[in-house]
Amino acid sequence: MPIDRDVYENERNEIERQFAQHNLEKDMAQAARKGPPILSKRDAARSRVAGWIALAVPIGLIATLCYLLGAF
């Protein structure tokens, strides 16, 4: 009776695929723990507003200083 090597090859490939899937899930969980926290919509909006304010304040100060020094 001939040995069907494809059966063994398919089984080995399935085991390798399962190990790869397990390692992927483990790596994804580790990356999620290392990554930045997920922000809520409110926190993200607050962060955007803070960024715009951080940009607008120095521009306003520079414009005021230029106006007072007569650069405009």
Side-chain angles (χ1 to χ4, degrees), residues 10-27:
N10 289 340
E11 189 173 317
R12 192 184 85 195
N13 288 342
E14 180 65 22
I15 291 170
E16 288 176 358
R17 188 193 64 74
Q18 288 174 356
F19 274 120
Q21 181 68 27
H22 173 71
N23 289 337
L24 175 65
E25 290 171 359
K26 186 174 64 173
D27 292 343

Side-chain angles (χ1 to χ4, degrees), residues 39-49:
L39 297 177
S40 67
K41 286 184 178 183
R42 191 170 95 203
D43 291 338
R46 187 178 294 156
S47 178
R48 273 194 305 274
V49 169

Side-chain angles (χ1 to χ4, degrees), residues 50-65:
W52 280 109
I53 290 173
L55 181 65
V57 168
I59 290 173
L61 291 174
I62 291 171
T64 303
L65 184 62

